[in-house]
Amino acid sequence: MKKNHMDKDVYILAIESSCDETAAAVVKNGRQVLSNVISSQIELHTLYGGVVPEIASRKHIEKINQVIETALVQADMSLEQMDAVAVTYGPGLVGALLVGVAEAKAIAYGAGKPLVGVHHIEGHVSANFIEHPDLEPPFVCLIVSGGHTHLVVVKDYGEFEILGRTRDDAAGEAFDKVARAVGLGYPGGPKIDKAAKEGNPSAISFPRAKVDENPYDFSFSGLKSAVLNYINHAKMAGEEIYVPDLAASFQKAVVDVLVSHTVEAAKEFGFQKVAMAGGVASNSGLRKGMEEACKREGLSLYYPSPIYCTDNAAMIGAAAYYEYINGARAGWDLNAVPNLKLGER
Ligand code: KG4
Ligand code: ZN
C-alpha cells in the first residue's frame, strides 16, 4: 500500500456539492470512513423531472453548514483535529460547486488547515478504496454516472489514462431519459433497474452501438432513439407497452456494451483488476453482467456499495488523502471548474 510518510494518522474533512447532494464526510487515512452525511435534494428535483441548477445551489447553501457539523459530530471529532479540508471543485454545476468551494475555503482558512481540491471523477474512482483495502493501482476502471461515461486505466493514485469515453449521452443520462419516456420519473436509473427485474431482456432487440474510430468509446444516443421510436410506434398502433420488458431489454443493451468494452480493455492491456464507479455502477444488471464476464476471463472485480457509488463526500475524502500525502495543496484562489477534464489540475 502507498505509504504515508508522515508517520501519523491523517484525518480529512471532505465536502461534495457538485450536483444535487450536499455531502460531508470525515475519512481517516483515505480508506476508513468515520462519518458520511448526505443530504439529498432528489425529491425536490423530482417535481421538475431533473436537476434544476438554480434550486440545487440554493439548497446547498441552506444545508451545507448543518451537513458539515453533523459529519464532525458523527465522527466524534473537531475541526481542529482535521489535517486538511477537501472539496470537489469540478466537474459539475458551477453554482452548486461554488457553494462547496467557498465553504471549504472559509473553513480551512479560518481553522488554519490546508485545502485540497478534488476532481469529482477521481472521487468516484477512489470510492473503491474504501471497502477494498487490498485494491491498489494499476487497474482498469469503468466510470458510469449521470454526467460521465469513461473507461480508464488508473495507473497510480490520481493518475489516469483515458481509453474511451461517451460520444454523446452518459450511461446514467440514457437511463434517466428512457425512464422519463416510459413515465417512471427521476432519477430513472434505480427505477429501470427495478422494473427490469420483472422483465425479459430479450423481449425487444435494441442496438449495441459500435464507435468505429475507437473500440473503447461509447455511444448511447442511437439506443435512446431506438427506445423512443419503439414507444412511438407502439403508441401509434394503439399497443400497450410492457414496461418491465422494455426496461430489461434497454438495460441489457447498455450493460452488454459496458461489460464488453471493459473486459476487452483489461485483456488487451494486460490488467488483472477491474473496478467500477459512479451511480450506474450500482445497477444490478451491470454488476451481474460484469461479475460473470470477469469470472469467465479470470479477472478480479471491485465495486463500491451503492451508497458509495452515487455522489457522496467519503469518496472525495479517499481521493483527497492520496493527493494530500503527495503534497497537493490548493490556494485560497481555488475556483469551481464546471468542465474540469480528468487528468487536469
Ligand atoms: O454518480 P451519480 O450519483 O452522479 C453523477 O456524478 O452524475 O450518478 C447518478 C446517475 C443517475 O443518472 C442515476 O439514474 C444513475 O446514476 N443510477 C443508476 C442506478 N442508480 C443510480 N442507473 C442505473 N441503475 C441504478 N441502480
Ligand atoms: Zn457523481
Side-chain angles (χ1 to χ4, degrees), residues 65-315:
N65 282 315
Q66 186 192 329
V67 165
I68 292 170
E69 187 71 45
T70 310
L72 286 168
V73 168
Q74 287 185 2
D76 200 15
M77 293 191 83
S78 67
L79 183 54
E80 287 65 46
Q81 290 172 288
M82 297 297 115
D83 293 280
V85 177
V87 65
T88 305
Y89 72 107
L93 301 169
V94 66
L97 287 165
L98 269 172
V99 177
V101 169
E103 177 84 11
K105 285 199 282 194
I107 289 182
Y109 186 77
K113 304 291 178 187
L115 180 68
V116 180
V118 176
H119 193 296
H120 182 75
I121 303 301
E122 187 179 336
H124 273 301
V125 172
S126 304
N128 280 288
F129 299 137
I130 296 171
E131 296 160 299
H132 303 296
D134 59 315
L135 178 63
E136 288 185 71
F139 55 91
V140 167
C141 188
L142 173 71
I143 306 152
V144 272
S145 74
H148 306 273
T149 301
H150 280 100
L151 185 58
V152 304
V153 174
V154 181
K155 294 159 82 176
D156 200 345
Y157 294 100
E159 226 184 282
F160 304 94
E161 186 184 331
I162 299 176
L163 302 176
R165 54 160 65 85
T166 182
R167 294 294 181 96
D168 36 63
D169 292 350
E173 201 178 347
F175 271 94
D176 292 338
K177 286 177 177 169
V178 165
R180 190 198 296 218
V182 290
L184 288 176
Y186 173 86
K191 302 213 163 122
I192 297 266
D193 193 349
K194 190 155 172 259
K197 291 199 171 105
E198 313 294 318
N200 172 7
S202 7
I204 309 162
S205 119
F206 287 132
R208 273 81 171 144
K210 273 230 168 300
V211 178
D212 287 340
E213 302 93 274
N214 179 356
Y216 297 120
D217 273 355
F218 304 93
S219 167
F220 296 108
S221 68
L223 170 61
K224 180 189 65 191
S225 302
V227 174
L228 297 181
N229 281 341
Y230 177 87
I231 296 170
N232 283 338
H233 279 295
K235 272 190 188 150
M236 285 200 300
E239 289 162 9
E240 187 112 357
I241 293 166
Y242 184 54
V243 173
D245 278 353
L246 185 137
S249 303
F250 160 76
Q251 181 170 292
K252 184 74 168 52
V254 176
V255 167
D256 279 355
V257 173
L258 294 176
V259 170
S260 65
H261 282 32
T262 307
V263 169
E264 281 307 315
K267 275 166 51 189
E268 178 174 341
F269 298 102
F271 292 99
Q272 203 275 321
K273 289 179 281 186
V274 169
M276 299 198 287
V280 184
S282 57
N283 181 270
S284 55
L286 176 58
R287 287 174 177 231
K288 193 161 164 273
M290 197 70 90
E291 246 155 28
E292 284 166 5
C294 285
K295 201 167 170 204
R296 203 165 49 235
E297 302 293 343
L299 304 168
S300 313
L301 176 63
Y302 301 82
Y303 49 77
S305 293
I307 191 69
Y308 296 127
C309 284
T310 44
D311 288 350
N312 67 88
M315 68 183 196

